[in-house]
């Protein structure tokens, strides 16, 4: 294995589990992050990946960031667009700032990153683009008009890329996690968390490693014929048609 993978937001939560899994599978992994240096240092130390700090919502920062990654680790074969944020509010109270910020970090980022590795993937005749959406992009969610729109947007983007990349050996797929046991959920009130778990037929939260194994499969040669798909990993909480 001599492939290079970028995992955006790869230093914490689900992204960190993806970085760890791909590193363990033999990829040279660039884990990107926004500002939490301590988490990045821990990630580099514990799982031996290289971390790069830049804002995936900023196109020019992505141009520079990808240049640095390629200079250090080589051309990018696998791109996992995982970085994401939430800024929840009921729609009648949602600010333009909350809308713009979530669309920028959760959706524009996928354009900013993918656009800057796409031509290289086409030239080399191989690529894997894996976009991390969400159950709430599939079904919508109260107080998450911005997040649901961004995460649904990733699914449309992925389908279009699947058509365009197919003849060039590039696959583009979505992983749509349900509720995963990460810091975000651990910060919730116990009664809210119990309510969420009660709505999951599997009777538990998902594990970040379960998302990482789906990503690892989609990145592999074995998954070459899977293109434009949305892989739902949610313990049967929402079964998309
Ligand atoms: P975390 O909040 O734990 O981690 C987010 C990561 O993204 C961090 O590394 C963070 O960097 C990075 N990041 C945030 N904003 C930017 C930015 N502007 N530029 C670069 N990096 C950025 O997220 P989760 O692990 O909970 O979620 C990962 C993905 O999975 C997200 O897209 C989320 O929407 C999706 N998801 C999560 C679910 C869950 O249950 N947790 C369920 C469904 C989907 P830093 O550490 O510097 O802040």
């Amino acid at each position: 294995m001599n492939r290079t993978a970028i995992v955006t937001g790869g230093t914490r939560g689900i992204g960190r589990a993806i970085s760890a899994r791909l590193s363990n599978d033999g990829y040279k992994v660039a884990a990107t992050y926004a500002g939490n240096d301590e988490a990045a240092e821990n990630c580099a130390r514990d799982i031996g990946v290289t971390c790069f700090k830049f804002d995936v919502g900023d196109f020019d920062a992505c141009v520079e960031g990808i240049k640095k990654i390629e200079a250090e680790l080589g051309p990018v074969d696998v791109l996992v667009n995982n970085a994401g944020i939430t800024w929840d509010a009921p729609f009648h109270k949602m600010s333009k700032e909350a809308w713009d910020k979530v669309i920028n970090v959760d959706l524009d980022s996928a354009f900013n990153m993918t656009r800057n590795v796409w031509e290289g993937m086409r030239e080399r005749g191989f690529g894997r683009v894996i976009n991390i959406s969400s159950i709430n992009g599939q079904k919508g969610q109260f107080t998450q008009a911005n997040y649901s729109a961004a995460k649904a947007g990733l699914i449309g983007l992925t389908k279009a890329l699947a058509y365009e990349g197919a003849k060039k050996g590039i696959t583009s797929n979505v992983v749509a996690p349900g509720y995963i046991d990460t810091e975000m959920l651990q910060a919730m009130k116990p009664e809210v968390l119990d309510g969420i778990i009660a709505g999951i037929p599997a009777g538990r939260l998902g594990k970040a490693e379960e998302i990482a194994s789906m990503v690892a499969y989609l990145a592999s040669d074995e998954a070459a014929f899977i293109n434009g798909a949305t892989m739902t990993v949610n313990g049967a909480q929402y079964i998309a048609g």
Side-chain angles (χ1 to χ4, degrees):
M1 167 76 69
N2 192 30
R3 287 184 180 153
T4 296
I6 298 180
V7 184
T8 68
T11 56
R12 285 199 288 125
I14 293 172
R16 181 179 152 130
I18 297 169
S19 297
R21 172 61 194 263
L22 294 181
S23 174
N24 207 38
D25 287 355
Y27 293 85
K28 289 175 279 177
V29 176
T32 82
Y33 69 106
N36 187 334
D37 295 319
E38 194 188 341
E41 280 156 25
N42 292 341
C43 182
R45 187 194 58 228
D46 298 346
I47 61 178
V49 300
T50 317
C51 298
F52 296 83
K53 177 159 70 170
F54 59 91
D55 178 4
V56 291
D58 177 337
F59 185 82
D60 295 334
C62 292
V63 172
E64 288 312 310
I66 289 170
K67 264 189 206 154
K68 271 191 203 145
I69 291 168
E70 296 203 317
E72 220 170 295
L73 303 181
V76 177
D77 304 294
V78 176
L79 171 63
V80 185
N81 288 311
N82 164 78
I85 57 163
T86 52
W87 187 341
D88 297 353
F91 191 63
H92 62 279
K93 291 189 177 162
M94 185 171 283
S95 64
K96 178 77 166 77
E97 193 187 0
W99 173 267
D100 288 343
K101 184 70 184 168
V102 169
I103 296 293
N104 177 248
V105 176
D106 294 12
L107 179 59
D108 291 346
S109 59
F111 173 81
N112 297 343
M113 290 297 296
T114 310
R115 181 67 187 84
N116 286 299
V117 299
W118 191 254
E119 287 175 62
M121 287 177 173
R122 279 170 56 88
E123 279 158 23
R124 292 186 300 278
F126 179 86
R128 296 281 187 269
V129 177
I130 300 157
N131 293 321
I132 308 300
S133 176
S134 166
I135 183 173
N136 293 342
Q138 295 174 296
K139 71 172 190 57
Q141 182 58 286
F142 284 103
T143 73
Q144 290 198 322
N146 49 2
Y147 184 79
S148 299
K151 292 298 187 180
L154 285 177
I155 295 174
L157 167 70
T158 305
K159 290 177 178 175
L161 292 178
Y163 289 118
E164 294 201 23
K167 273 221 165 67
K168 297 286 183 183
I170 308 171
T171 67
S172 302
N173 291 291
V174 168
V175 177
Y179 285 86
I180 306 299
D181 194 3
T182 55
E183 279 171 36
M184 189 175 87
L185 270 83
Q186 284 153 14
M188 281 180 177
K189 289 181 189 156
E191 60 272 24
V192 176
L193 196 53
D194 288 348
I196 288 173
I197 293 170
I200 305 173
R204 66 170 176 88
L205 298 172
K207 298 178 193 147
E209 292 73 19
E210 291 172 317
I211 304 304
S213 43
M214 175 56 78
V215 170
Y217 175 62
L218 292 173
S220 73
D221 288 331
E222 279 177 291
F225 208 53
I226 301 175
N227 203 353
T230 296
M231 313 302 268
T232 296
V233 186
N234 68 21
Q237 188 179 0
Y238 176 72
I239 301 175

